[in-house]
Each structure stands twice: as C-alpha cells, then as structure tokens.
Amino acid sequence: MITVADVMKLPSMYGATILAGHAGMSNPVESVTVLEYGWITNTLDELFSKTEFQGNDLIITSFATIADNVEAQCENIRRYQAMGSVGFILFYIGLILPSVDDRVIACCNELDLVLITMPEDIRTHKYSDVIGDIYHAIFKDQQAGSNYVSTLIRRFSNLPAEQRNTGTLLRMLSNHLQASIILTDYKKSISNIVCWPQSLSELLSKDLKKQLQKMQGEQAVKISYDDGAGYLQHCPTLLEGKEGFDLYTFKYNELLSREDLWQASEFVQLYSHIWNKDLGKLVTSELVRAIIDDDPLKMRRLADLFQINVAELNQMWVFDSVDSSEPDLKLLRKCTEYFSGIYKTVLVGYYESNMVIFAHAPKTAGERDAIVQDFINESADSYSNYIVVCCDCLNTTNDAHNAYFDVMQYASYARSIYPQKRVLRPSDVSFASICAKEAACREAQIHYLKIIEDIEATPELLTTLTAYLLDHESSMANTAKALCCHINTIKYRLNAIRDNTGYSPSKPADVYPLLIAVAINRMRNSENE
C-alpha cells in the first residue's frame, strides 16, 4: 500500500515541503487528479454533484484560476477532502500562486489533509513527472502484493462513516482492479454498477442485462465491440439464500485471474458482515467463521486485519439459539459489552445462527470457574432462550472446530440431562454424547433402563437418585435441601435404591451404569414432553 509518506520519498518529489496535515501522512494513495477549474460557480457545483467518492487520490494544482481567491482555494480543499482525497500538491509557488495563505494551511490541518508544496520559483517541475512517478509506485506495489483484501478493508474502515457505503466500496474495488464492478440482487436485477474507466458507462450499460442473462452459469463471457472485446466474469458466490448477491467484473481486453475474483468476493462479503446494516452488522463474524472452519489462510488475513492473536484464544462460549434461526444483534452488543469487561482479548461474532465468543481465559481452572459462576449469577437469566456452553483448554483451532460441532450435535441432549445447569461445560456435552449413542442402540437402552426398572414404581426413589447423581454431584446435603427433606431421608432412600437395583450410588464402579440409566431416562422423558 502506497501512502502519502511513500510519495514524499519519490525522486520527482525531491525538495517538496509538507506545510500542513501531518496527521494524514499514513493515508493510502491510489490515484492522482489534476485540479483545473476552481471557481465557485454553478458549473463547479454541478461537477461535484455528479461526482461520487473517487478513492484516495492526491490533487495536483497550482490554483491557476483562483490564485488570488483564498476562500475558493479553501472551498475546493473541503470539497475534494469530502470525496476522499488525501492531499494537495501545490506547484509553481511564486510563479502562478503568489504564496500559500495561512487560512489554507489552517483548513488542511483541520481536515488532516496533507498539503505539499513543490520547490518555489522553479519552472522545470512538471505535473507529468510526479503523476508518472506516483502511478509507477502504485503499479509496483499492486504487482508485489497478491492479497489486496486486507489493504482495501483497512482503507475502507478509515473513511468517514458517511462515506462507508456500497458505492464507495465498489468504486474502491473497481479502481484497484481497473475493472468495472456489477452487483446484482437475488432477483438478478442490477443493484449497483461502477464503471472503469467511467467513459465506458454508456457502452457497458447498453446490453449489460442481456449479457448477464446470457451467462446462464458460465463463469466468463466474451463481449465483442467494434474496436476490441471485453470479458464479463462471475465472482464466486457471496451470500447464499434469499438475500444473496452476485458480483461480476467487466474488464476491457483482459481476463481477471481467479484469485482476483475470489478476493473481490471476500472484500464485498466482509463489508456486508461488518458495516452493512441491511445484511446484518455482524462484527468480526468472518474471523469467527474462519476459526471454526479451521481455515488458516482466511484466519491469518482476518486476524491481521482485526489485530487479534488467534493463538491466545483458548476458550469458546457458544450460545445455541433454541427458537430462532436469525442472528440477534441486541445479544451481540450485550455480550460484547459484558465479555469485553472480563477478558483482555475477546472476539464476538456469529457462526450461522449461533453466537460464538472466543476469549483469552485464565490458566487456572479455579479462575475460569469463577468467571462462569459470575456469569450465571449476573446474566444467565437473560439467556433462557439459549443453550450456553463454555469450552476451556482449546490449544488449537482444530480443538475449537471439534468442540463447536460437538456442541451442535449434543448440546440439546446435555440440556435435557442437566436442565438446571445454566452453563454447560465440555464434560457435560461429552457425557451427553455417550448417553445419546447408548440410547440410539435399542439393546443398550433396554439394558440401562432395566437397571432402574424396579425403583420406577417408587417415584421418590427415582427422583432422589436422579437429583443426587445429575443435579447435585453426589452431595447428600444439597440433594436433601433441593428435595426439602432431612439428610437421613436421603441416606435411607439411597440404601433402598441399592437394595432394589443391586447398584450402590456411593460406589464408583456402580455409579457409572446408574448415571447412564437416569440420564437416558431424563432424555426419554424430555422427548415425550
């Protein structure tokens, strides 16, 4: 990425001086524009009213038409800055422009717009030298960098909020690829079109709809014109389903590479997830998706973009939605605020319809358990429509991948086994997977349910055994408190269970089959409710 600071190092800029806007030196430069007409007239108003954001360009001028009008100079500076310009290079100081007024310097400082002056009273400096030098540097930079998504996203994110829209995004992509960009909606109607160069607008728009229909699944179509041909190409699919969009490129006399098309799609998709409210403002959800999908290339790009060290993320919270298939943005904001106050590093986003939080958790189990307990005490009641699972000790993204899909497959079973637990842990999900597999085998299910068959006729015995083993971690005191009876009553019932089943709830070897039996029984009852 070429910045204003890089431009200042070019040979053609030797002797140039920065008068204002030092804060904008790190802004990227992607084009150069020459300012010729500067009078504040209806003509200038008309020119600006029809001009959209053009990207991060440097303006070269001598203010020749308004050399004696400081107000007009400042007004031009404001208008070009609003269109995305990053700086002005002033030529012929002392020859055409008498001097740089302090009001111009103050205006540029206020806008963080870099103001550069070429050496004064020198006639040999040419616009063409600077323009050629800058474009050569931009071209070399683009050739050297195969991945342009991170650069474009970073530049886009630094724009003022009012400029972060679909039109600006496509213009930025178009300028980089030097190709026209077409975005269609799920009905295949043209939603946005940006032409490069803009002089192709009439030619491209003429038969575009017909050419799009002609593609019919083809990845590229050659369109012949009198003096050459252009190539209409389909980028990889962006968003599936009803709200899906399709992205196309059109480049004159040249095909774009498959890698360029993939990155174009990725750029637009990131925009749709991060900034576009109409498509769901799912901040960093693409990085969450890359981690769970265990996609190292995409993960590396996005982690660099969001400045997150993925290797530190050793804990994952999953909020599995029980009754909704749509992302809940209120939940996203609420959890972002809550967990950001707990963890030093936290990543919040969506994977499909489930919210996922990755965090850098403490090393000790005691500290991690305390965080979970605080969440239960402070916030768990707000998430009754979600199955909440907290997975610890994730050493790799493959661990996160496996943990997430285990949760997706077995969390509902774990919830039916442990209905009182507000936050499930990996051991709960793992035990639920064992029970689900045993229950899926008819012979195994019959075997385990037969163990507790003789106490089903005495409801208080089955209730006590279930509460003792599943809800209160084999604590007689807690079981007695929950069932509102004396601890001696619990002792009596546990002895009665041993007498009737032949299995002792207090012996480790006997506990396992009893656990499986009462868990399968709960799962069965939950299905029948």
Side-chain angles (χ1 to χ4, degrees):
M1 178 178 67
I2 298 298
T3 65
V4 179
D6 295 323
V7 168
M8 288 299 295
K9 299 173 185 177
L10 297 175
S12 60
M13 298 298 291
Y14 179 77
T17 303
I18 302 168
L19 287 188
H22 290 80
M25 291 296 291
S26 61
N27 287 332
V29 177
E30 62 179 7
S31 61
V32 183
T33 298
V34 175
L35 187 158
E36 294 181 312
Y37 188 91
W39 288 106
I40 308 302
T41 62
N42 291 336
T43 301
L44 189 66
D45 289 338
E46 185 177 351
L47 285 172
F48 273 93
S49 68
K50 294 181 179 179
T51 304
E52 300 174 347
F53 175 85
Q54 295 300 306
N56 304 80
D57 59 348
L58 276 172
I59 308 299
I60 292 181
T61 186
S62 62
F63 285 137
T65 60
I66 50 174
D68 298 319
N69 190 334
V70 175
E71 289 184 7
Q73 294 170 24
C74 291
E75 180 62 21
N76 274 271
I77 287 170
R78 293 189 191 95
R79 294 193 183 200
Y80 277 100
Q81 189 273 339
M83 286 170 49
S85 299
V86 295
F88 271 67
I89 302 177
L90 298 183
F91 271 72
Y92 308 131
I93 309 296
L95 297 174
I96 295 177
L97 184 66
S99 63
V100 181
D101 193 277
D102 288 343
R103 286 171 288 177
V104 172
I105 295 173
C107 180
C108 289
N109 279 327
E110 179 186 346
L111 299 172
D112 289 335
L113 190 78
V114 181
L115 181 63
I116 303 167
T117 58
M118 300 302 287
E120 296 185 17
D121 299 318
I122 297 180
R123 300 174 184 271
T124 55
H125 281 113
K126 296 180 180 179
Y127 286 4
S128 58
D129 291 341
V130 173
I131 293 171
D133 220 2
I134 293 175
Y135 274 115
H136 180 65
I138 292 171
F139 176 76
K140 284 175 61 179
D141 179 69
Q142 290 179 349
Q143 293 300 306
S146 59
N147 173 34
Y148 61 80
V149 174
S150 296
T151 300
L152 292 186
I153 283 288
R154 194 176 295 114
R155 282 159 51 182
F156 187 83
S157 64
N158 288 331
L159 293 174
E162 64 272 12
Q163 291 179 352
R164 291 200 296 265
N165 54 53
T166 306
T168 299
L169 176 100
L170 298 183
R171 170 59 61 192
M172 190 176 285
L173 180 61
S174 173
N175 287 343
H176 180 84
L177 295 175
Q178 296 187 342
S180 299
I181 306 295
I182 304 103
L183 190 66
T184 66
D185 61 19
Y186 70 96
K187 295 179 180 178
K188 303 306 176 187
S189 300
I190 296 173
S191 176
N192 294 81
I193 180 170
V194 174
C195 294
W196 194 96
Q198 293 190 43
S199 57
L200 282 182
S201 177
E202 185 176 349
L203 178 66
L204 183 58
S205 302
K206 187 177 180 181
D207 297 317
L208 181 58
K209 191 170 183 179
K210 186 188 298 182
Q211 296 296 341
L212 288 172
Q213 293 173 346
K214 188 191 295 184
M215 292 192 76
Q216 294 181 345
E218 295 292 329
Q219 295 303 307
V221 169
K222 183 178 180 180
I223 305 174
S224 298
Y225 297 104
D226 293 339
D227 58 347
Y231 294 91
L232 184 64
Q233 293 176 266
H234 181 235
C235 297
T237 301
L238 296 173
L239 302 172
E240 300 286 355
K242 182 180 177 182
E243 295 183 347
F245 283 74
D246 281 294
L247 188 69
Y248 298 86
T249 64
F250 176 84
K251 194 166 177 69
Y252 206 66
N253 289 333
E254 185 181 347
L255 277 165
L256 289 171
S257 70
R258 194 66 184 158
E259 176 62 21
D260 280 335
L261 298 178
W262 270 108
Q263 290 194 53
S265 285
E266 186 176 335
F267 180 46
V268 176
Q269 189 174 42
L270 278 169
Y271 161 74
S272 72
H273 283 314
I274 298 172
W275 287 286
N276 192 337
K277 294 180 181 179
D278 294 333
L279 296 176
K281 188 179 178 183
L282 308 181
V283 181
T284 67
S285 288
E286 283 302 302
L287 180 51
V288 167
R289 177 178 291 277
I291 293 172
I292 293 175
D293 288 343
D294 199 17
D295 184 340
L297 293 178
K298 192 172 185 180
M299 195 189 318
R300 198 173 299 119
R301 288 179 189 169
L302 298 177
D304 177 63
L305 172 65
F306 295 116
Q307 297 183 334
I308 290 177
N309 183 1
V310 173
E312 288 185 344
L313 304 177
N314 57 358
Q315 187 181 72
M316 175 177 68
W317 293 70
V318 180
F319 287 70
D320 184 5
S321 178
V322 174
D323 56 6
S324 175
S325 60
E326 296 296 327
D328 184 343
L329 299 185
K330 289 183 179 179
L331 175 70
L332 183 75
R333 288 191 290 270
K334 186 175 181 179
C335 284
T336 300
E337 182 178 347
Y338 179 83
F339 287 100
S340 295
I342 297 173
Y343 299 106
K344 181 180 179 181
T345 303
V346 64
L347 173 67
V348 185
Y350 268 89
Y351 189 94
E352 306 301 344
S353 61
N354 302 310
M355 195 180 69
V356 180
I357 299 165
F358 286 103
H360 178 45
K363 292 183 178 180
T364 67
E367 291 176 289
R368 296 194 298 268
D369 289 344
I371 290 173
V372 172
Q373 191 58 51
D374 287 343
F375 172 81
I376 292 171
N377 295 339
E378 297 176 23
S379 305
D381 289 340
S382 303
Y383 305 103
S384 57
N385 292 331
Y386 295 85
I387 300 175
V388 183
V389 185
C390 178
C391 303
D392 293 322
C393 302
L394 305 176
N395 297 317
T396 66
T397 53
N398 186 249
D399 290 344
H401 171 89
N402 293 334
Y404 178 83
F405 286 102
D406 281 346
V407 169
M408 289 300 97
Q409 189 168 2
Y410 298 113
S412 60
Y413 295 110
R415 168 59 67 231
S416 64
I417 294 171
Y418 303 107
Q420 296 184 21
K421 284 195 174 183
R422 313 310 297 273
V423 176
L424 298 170
R425 307 304 290 273
S427 57
D428 303 323
V429 176
S430 179
F431 179 65
S433 72
I434 294 171
C435 295
K437 291 170 185 175
E438 294 287 5
C441 174
R442 180 172 174 77
E443 291 182 358
Q445 182 181 136
I446 292 173
H447 166 73
Y448 283 109
L449 292 178
K450 191 169 180 61
I451 293 174
I452 57 174
E453 184 179 42
D454 290 338
I455 63 172
E456 283 187 295
T458 312
E460 63 269 19
L461 293 184
L462 183 57
T463 299
T464 299
L465 180 62
T466 303
Y468 177 74
L469 292 179
L470 296 180
D471 300 332
H472 303 292
E473 299 179 339
S474 300
S475 167
M476 285 191 285
N478 290 340
T479 304
K481 183 178 180 181
L483 298 181
C484 301
C485 59
H486 196 276
I487 192 170
N488 288 336
T489 303
I490 300 300
K491 290 180 181 179
Y492 171 80
R493 291 177 183 176
L494 293 178
N495 286 329
I497 290 167
R498 179 184 179 185
D499 292 340
N500 283 274
T501 65
Y503 291 85
S504 172
S506 60
K507 288 185 178 180
D510 291 354
V511 167
Y512 182 77
L514 288 173
L515 264 172
I516 299 288
V518 293
I520 290 177
N521 186 60
R522 261 196 177 170
M523 289 165 54
R524 183 182 61 172
N525 292 338
S526 177
E527 291 174 359
N528 294 332
E529 289 178 357

